[in-house]
Amino acid sequence: MDEKKNMRADVLGRRDALDAETRTRKSAAICRELERLVEEACAPDAGACGACAPDRNSAEADRLGPAHGVRAYRNLGRPPCVAVYAAMRSEVDLQAFAESAFARGWDVCFPCMVRDEADGQGPGRMAFYRVPGARLDHARAAFLNHPLRCLPCAALADAGYEEAAPADLDAVAVPLVAFDDEGNRLGYGGGNYDRLLPRLRADALVVGVAFDEQRVPAVPCEPHDRPLARIVHA
């Protein structure tokens, strides 16, 4: 645990040290690549292993399994449903990708910490909510600008936000603190995405996003940690 804690502190320090111009430029490049991957993955003729093939050999793809985007994509017959996040501090900013997704008519979902009980008590969990482009500013005030606030599901429903089940998600952009060349990721320690990934469809495209400065020689792993088949970085 100390090894992970120390790595988080070191890598977050490097990420925070990036100037705003560099973060903006790198985020834009990551957004362009993410858009390309989703567009190709969800195209009617995406092919056998097209855009979702990992950057490693087939044996490694077999080891990682289908939950990490190594299976073929079929025509969805509807706009893709993509899961993004609202950047905190010095994270990769996916705003440009979200805006492009809105313009293309894609279904865009953002995470929120929620409790199922109406009184706001009980255990919290991360859920994704559909946010139309016209309601993005409202969503920022309602929950996006307060990522650590845990809200009752009923309150979000009353505000007009619909929860997307993990099986609804065609593509998920995963934030991370650190990554290595084997696809291992170090998160913030809450385990939210570790719990989400096994619940996604086998053909869901899962893409980690990070800056080059977040790369490390090796991420310390535990049995529950799940590597990613693809990490887009710049």
Side-chain angles (χ1 to χ4, degrees):
M1 294 302 293
D2 286 343
E3 187 178 7
K4 286 189 174 182
K5 181 179 179 180
N6 292 337
M7 182 173 287
R8 282 191 187 96
D10 177 61
V11 176
L12 287 176
R14 298 205 305 259
R15 195 182 73 185
D16 289 344
L18 291 172
D19 61 83
E21 182 180 352
T22 299
R23 284 201 301 270
T24 298
R25 173 174 52 79
K26 287 173 172 280
S27 292
I30 291 169
C31 285
R32 288 193 297 271
E33 177 63 9
L34 187 58
E35 181 179 355
R36 184 189 69 80
L37 290 173
V38 176
E39 184 178 38
E40 289 187 2
C42 298
D45 56 348
C49 279
C52 53
D55 293 328
R56 292 186 295 280
N57 59 41
S58 58
E60 182 68 1
D62 291 340
R63 180 182 72 81
L64 292 174
H68 297 281
V70 299
R71 290 181 58 182
Y73 285 81
R74 298 188 299 271
N75 181 18
L76 299 173
R78 55 171 173 76
C81 182
V82 298
V84 296
Y85 62 86
M88 297 187 301
R89 295 176 54 189
S90 59
E91 285 183 326
V92 173
D93 189 348
L94 297 183
Q95 177 65 24
F97 172 75
E99 290 177 354
S100 179
F102 288 135
R104 289 171 175 267
W106 295 353
D107 205 1
V108 182
C109 303
F110 288 85
C112 181
M113 296 303 299
V114 299
R115 290 190 173 92
D116 293 303
E117 290 77 3
D119 60 4
Q121 303 300 310
R125 62 182 176 88
M126 183 180 71
F128 281 88
Y129 282 82
R130 292 180 170 87
V131 177
R135 299 203 72 198
L136 184 57
D137 287 340
H138 183 279
R140 290 188 188 282
F143 63 94
L144 295 184
N145 289 342
H146 310 282
L148 301 182
R149 180 187 298 172
C150 201
L151 301 175
C153 291
L156 287 163
D158 290 344
Y161 294 102
E162 177 190 358
E163 181 176 349
D168 295 338
L169 304 176
D170 301 308
V172 180
V174 181
L176 50 85
V177 172
F179 70 97
D180 62 26
D181 289 337
E182 296 303 313
N184 298 306
R185 64 175 286 271
L186 178 65
Y188 291 94
N192 290 313
Y193 282 89
D194 290 318
R195 288 185 287 272
L196 170 70
L197 296 183
R199 302 176 63 201
L200 298 175
R201 294 197 323 271
D203 62 347
L205 174 66
V206 181
V207 183
V209 292
F211 298 124
D212 292 332
E213 288 76 7
Q214 296 172 248
R215 189 203 299 260
V216 297
V219 170
C221 295
E222 299 177 61
H224 67 270
D225 291 326
R226 301 175 66 88
L228 301 178
R230 185 181 291 277
I231 296 175
V232 173
H233 51 94

